[in-house]
Amino acid sequence: MDIDSLQAQVKNDLEKVSSPEALEEVRVKYLGRKGVVAELTGSIPGIPVQERGEFGRKVNAFKSGLHELFAKKEESLKDGEALRGENIIDIGMPGIAQQVGTLHPLTRITDEICSVFSRMGFSVAEGPEVETEYNNFTGLNIPLEHPSREAFDTFYLKDYDKKLLRSHTSPAQVRIMQEKKPPLAVVVPGRVYRPDAVDASHSFMFHQIEGLMVGEGIKFSDLKGVLETFAKAIFGEGIKMRFRPHFFPFTEPSAEVDISCIICGGKGCSVCGRKGWLEILGSGMVHPNVFKHVAIDADKYSGFAFGMGVERIAMLKYGINDIRLFFENDLRFLRQF
Amino acid sequence: MKTTYQWLKDFVEIKIPPEELADKLTMAGLEVVSLEKKGDDFVFEIEITSNRPDWLSVSGIAREVAAITGGKLKNAPVFSAPRKIPGRKIAGLSIEVGIEDKKDCPIYLARILRNVKVGPSPEWIKKRLELVGCRSINNVVDITNYVLFESGEPLHAFDLDKLASGKITVRRAKDKEKLLTIDGAENSLLPENLVIADSNRAVAVAGVMGGKESEVDFGTKHILLEAALFNPVIIRRSRQLLGKTTEASYRFERGVDPEAPERASRRAAQLLKDLCGAEDAGMAARGSAGRKTVTVDLDTGYLSRILGVCLGCAQAKKILLGLGFKVKLKAKNVLRVEVPSFRQDVKQPVDLIEEIARIYGYEKIPNSLPLITPDPDTGSRREIISEIKNLLVGLGLSEAITYSLVDRKGLKDAGLESETAPLSVMNPLSREQEVLRPGLALGLGRAVSFNLKQKQEYVPLFEIANVFKSGKEPEEKLALGIALSGTKSFFSGEGRVHDPASFLHLKGILEAVFSKLKLTGYEFVNLPAGRVEIFLHKNKIGSMLELGRQALDALEIKNHKVFICELFLEKVFSCALPDKKFISLPKYPGITRDISFVLKEEVSVESVIASIKENGGSLLREVKVADYYRGKQIPAGFRGLTLSCFYASAERTLTEKEIQPSHDLACEFLSRRFEVKLR
């Protein structure tokens, strides 16, 4: 077999190739197991010994030459395709993919808030929406006949004795302390209910997140530190906070916690009622009477508790101006988050 | 509670401007919600917390201002100790005071003032009353209101000549006793109402509002001035029954200083003498304001530990003295504190700690971070819920949150009532909040309806929330609800594809959820009337349905189908595998063979697949539906199906020759048993 004439044959074959499939056929013809090069190599034993060396070298040279030619041809086929105008991609056309859904903005905010506390070591728990009067009031040092009760106006259930829809997530504090002994640190998100007429800023059903930490040596300064960490994580490093003395029957000392208005930065606007501060949390040191109800030794242990309205925080953070939007479930609203 | 800058200055030295005072008050716990300039004065509107009734008076707030700013208190007479209280009769007058139940009314003082000249009030009283939101009536009534705002003790003046002479009694109203009050309302009273009565009839609702017939007007000559204390609980119930809240009832409900009635009576008498020319004819009294002195011991070590800042005895003592407490050093680091009569809210050391902290300044207490020992229990329930939600979001659904309290009518109209009566609420504000929902379908259905009305072509929603049932105890269970409606339209490589929602789409979503949670052993069972029930390990855990005409009409949904499924999650949580265990990959490749055939519509594909599996031999690993169609080539009443049969062995690579007989057998079996036509 004459290697030189083979070169010419290769060139001919390649010229006829106009597709990757055809190129592959030619490649197999020459470089395949039963191809031309294999035959050549197989014919070496039949050549006189002195000529074997040179023949072998020629075969190898031929082989490398082939690799180069095929590679070149592959390249030119690709370029050719582009030039021929096949497989033009207009990347401006709509992408083809599954439409992704959305988590409800209240879920997103709840998850974000719980995650901040989780990172600090709090665990997340839940409590029932149907509660006992004891857990909702008595156990929390809220006397049944007192004006402070009005702040927690409640839906009582018919046909049951002293069962109601919880008006805050604080009953979970009572449950947790009955089950677990200190040290403990928990946040409890959940739905709460108050007989309120529905308008742009009120709803009879809304969500709260309650936090509770009890242990030896827990201080008011710890409460401040934990809540500051939370506020900065949710609203940004530049946020300012202030703790204002307030009253809750289940904490003493108590505080309401304000953040500097995220809309006007503290100068005063319609959102913050021109005060420059937005109230976001209620908090305080757990009242000894509450500890007494759950048989925790108030001399040995102390603790703090806090609560926040999830809708309020979501409305502040996302700039939503009507609470009813959360429960309308308009896809144009839901898909923004 | 409103008060003014100038009025406060009557009681305490103030050297700072109103804005600065407002800020200091807010940061000490008296939140100033508005500060307005009115003429040459400033009106502070302060939100008073329910535990501090002593702040419901100008003198009370003034005391606070003194403690916060260090200003000196003035006008001692108003604060001076009460004198001894006289007996129940007044010499020379046939007036006697009687109290039916001491628990309802611990003390009642009746002062007689004669020859009162009733007329308009001087400007300074009118102005101040108007600034705090109280209408001027006449000088006598105005004085009673003025002293109420000043001292926190509500007073009432009766026209003495309009009262039947003899006894003034504080008693419970008789059932259906009538009384016309000064607001012009004709009231029918109940024994829950406490009244002031003369020897004939009730003349006032005690602690709430006076009667019209005995009110002081321009013809009045002599008055009976009432200063009393009433039980907060009875006043609260009484005013709730009447549907009235007054400045008087507001204060009695929260608790008035037991020493206030006597002081207020004296102060009012003075004003009545000075401004109306009245003659004080003496006072009759019943009951006593006496109370046990409350003493609280405070360990300053405890104080510092609770707050997280070091405060010594001297500092703590100074603050408490400024607030009106009497303080003695009982032992090293222990203060013995005597609580004044106007602080009924202070009972334990923590109450003193709050006082000290708020005057010291919460902002001066540093921030610290506590050491928290995390709980290793990971809360797998929440994790599973999170996985389900994220999967559904990935499948294109949006999470909805719908109301748990619904209208009974809504459930009924949509045919979504449950067999057992729903849990209902005793005091719904409106019919919209009557019952707790037994399922998620109504809420999701309403959300679907709303979105279809906004011209959404495809509505995919889900919700994970509690649903409620009555039983021995109220039951609350977590459920997953999914609603699909409309036609999903999306792009494929060929162009736009339209995919209308159906039961099989719901099934697909649920299968994805089960698969993610590694749940096996679930079954979907067809029921008549377009319902499907879902079982997990033979327990019914949920159902799927297509909303019928009744529900669609009730929800105002036109021209769209709505498919809803509801799943109870408790069983799912207990069966979901928390840890995934690796299953080794097959060593040897298998062979896939397809069977295409035409099948009668009534024959379920499940039964076909089941019987092929039964008869396909041990090498048959899986049979799946690969394709289906109802095209022109398929006769009516039939559908075209392609099943894909996968054969494999754990010991060797299978050959076509090996599986051919089994496969042929399966095909033959198929033709015979189900009368299918192979294609």
Side-chain angles (χ1 to χ4, degrees), chain B residues 168-326:
Chain B
I168 288 286
T169 312
V170 184
R171 61 167 170 82
R172 295 297 184 100
K174 302 196 193 93
D175 196 42
K176 297 210 197 30
E177 186 168 0
K178 299 268 182 295
L179 174 62
L180 178 66
T181 42
I182 56 175
D183 59 354
E186 185 63 69
N187 303 279
S188 178
L189 304 173
L190 292 169
E192 275 84 6
N193 297 110
L194 192 65
V195 296
I196 312 297
D198 63 15
S199 25
N200 291 344
R201 72 227 198 287
V203 293
V205 183
V208 184
M209 194 179 279
K212 191 136 183 77
E213 285 165 16
S214 56
E215 74 177 339
V216 171
D217 57 29
F218 291 107
T220 302
K221 296 229 173 44
H222 314 293
I223 63 171
L224 184 145
L225 179 69
E226 163 195 297
L229 269 189
F230 301 110
N231 180 313
V233 178
I234 189 94
I235 297 302
R236 184 169 144 87
R237 283 211 213 111
S238 177
R239 67 100 179 143
Q240 277 175 337
L241 278 175
L242 293 180
K244 298 186 215 290
T245 301
T246 59
E247 298 285 357
S249 70
Y250 196 82
R251 284 160 179 79
F252 282 125
E253 261 186 82
R254 284 155 176 75
V256 174
D257 176 5
E259 289 174 13
E262 201 276 334
R263 278 200 299 260
S265 182
R266 249 190 297 137
R267 168 70 170 153
Q270 185 65 47
L271 285 170
L272 287 163
K273 267 199 277 195
D274 295 343
L275 303 178
C276 316
E279 292 150 21
D280 190 342
M283 187 164 79
R286 196 80 170 106
S288 77
R291 52 155 218 139
K292 262 172 64 185
T293 316
V294 176
T295 310
V296 179
D297 287 345
L298 178 64
D299 181 334
T300 50
Y302 180 60
L303 165 71
S304 302
R305 278 197 310 275
I306 287 287
L307 292 180
V309 68
C310 201
L311 289 169
C313 275
Q315 239 174 336
K317 181 171 174 179
K318 183 162 179 248
I319 291 174
L320 292 173
L321 286 175
L323 287 166
F325 293 89
K326 290 206 181 86

Side-chain angles (χ1 to χ4, degrees), chain B residues 113 137 160 190 478 541 608:
Chain B
L113 291 119
I137 314 283
L160 186 60
L190 292 169
L478 195 64
I541 57 164
V608 173

Side-chain angles (χ1 to χ4, degrees), chain A residues 129 150 156 222 224 228, chain B residues 236 365 367-368 426 476:
Chain A
E129 292 172 43
E150 254 131 51
Y156 273 84
D222 294 334
K224 292 185 74 197
E228 184 180 32
Chain B
R236 184 169 144 87
I365 298 172
N367 291 8
S368 62
M426 264 204 263
E476 156 173 352

Side-chain angles (χ1 to χ4, degrees), chain B residues 332-580:
Chain B
K332 184 166 191 251
N333 295 329
V334 179
L335 297 174
R336 173 148 283 181
V337 182
E338 198 183 298
V339 181
S341 64
F342 55 84
R343 291 303 304 271
Q344 294 164 41
D345 60 300
V346 176
K347 303 186 185 108
Q348 320 184 12
V350 283
D351 299 322
L352 292 175
I353 291 178
E354 182 175 87
E355 289 303 284
I356 294 168
R358 69 180 184 86
I359 299 295
Y360 174 71
Y362 281 6
E363 68 282 357
K364 301 229 285 273
I365 298 172
N367 291 8
S368 62
L369 282 175
L371 199 63
I372 304 182
T373 313
D375 187 348
D377 177 17
T378 47
S380 54
R381 218 179 100 119
R382 265 187 82 79
E383 276 172 17
I384 296 176
I385 293 174
S386 194
E387 277 205 41
I388 296 175
K389 285 193 186 185
N390 286 318
L391 173 64
L392 293 174
V393 165
L395 291 173
L397 291 103
S398 283
E399 184 185 10
I401 294 184
T402 63
Y403 289 119
S404 326
L405 271 179
V406 296
D407 47 321
R408 206 187 291 264
K409 184 169 188 292
L411 286 170
K412 185 157 182 279
D413 289 349
L416 291 170
E417 285 173 308
S418 57
E419 303 106 44
T420 49
L423 285 179
S424 58
V425 138
M426 264 204 263
N427 47 335
L429 269 189
S430 71
R431 262 192 265 121
E432 262 74 55
Q433 307 158 15
E434 266 183 306
V435 296
L436 283 168
R437 59 175 172 191
L440 298 171
L442 182 65
L444 286 172
R446 283 176 166 162
V448 167
S449 170
F450 183 88
N451 278 292
L452 289 174
K453 285 189 187 152
Q454 309 306 322
K455 305 278 185 278
Q456 290 288 348
E457 296 195 348
Y458 179 62
V459 184
L461 296 171
F462 75 91
E463 182 171 10
I464 295 184
N466 283 316
V467 296
F468 305 86
K469 201 170 104 151
S470 52
K472 249 184 73 186
E473 292 298 328
E475 281 176 41
E476 156 173 352
K477 281 208 207 144
L478 195 64
L480 160 65
I482 302 177
L484 297 177
S485 180
T487 298
K488 185 162 43 164
S489 117
F490 55 94
F491 284 106
S492 75
E494 312 294 302
R496 198 171 196 100
V497 178
H498 296 281
D499 187 17
S502 74
F503 273 113
L504 290 177
H505 288 85
L506 277 179
K507 181 186 177 194
I509 292 169
L510 287 178
E511 284 181 320
V513 171
F514 293 146
S515 160
K516 186 91 162 78
L517 299 177
K518 299 281 167 276
L519 285 173
T520 51
Y522 58 84
E523 256 187 286
F524 293 90
V525 176
N526 257 335
L527 288 182
R531 270 183 76 96
V532 174
E533 282 186 346
I534 308 161
F535 291 81
L536 182 61
H537 302 311
K538 306 287 182 207
N539 295 79
K540 177 170 166 199
I541 57 164
S543 58
M544 298 200 275
L545 59 93
E546 180 184 343
L547 289 184
R549 185 82 268 142
Q550 184 194 359
L552 292 172
D553 285 343
L555 293 168
E556 295 173 7
I557 295 172
K558 296 188 183 50
N559 305 321
H560 282 97
K561 296 187 182 186
V562 183
F563 298 89
I564 294 191
C565 95
E566 249 184 272
L567 209 67
F568 289 102
L569 291 176
E570 283 317 319
K571 200 85 195 13
V572 169
F573 293 140
S574 54
C575 297
L577 290 174
D579 298 308
K580 301 178 169 106

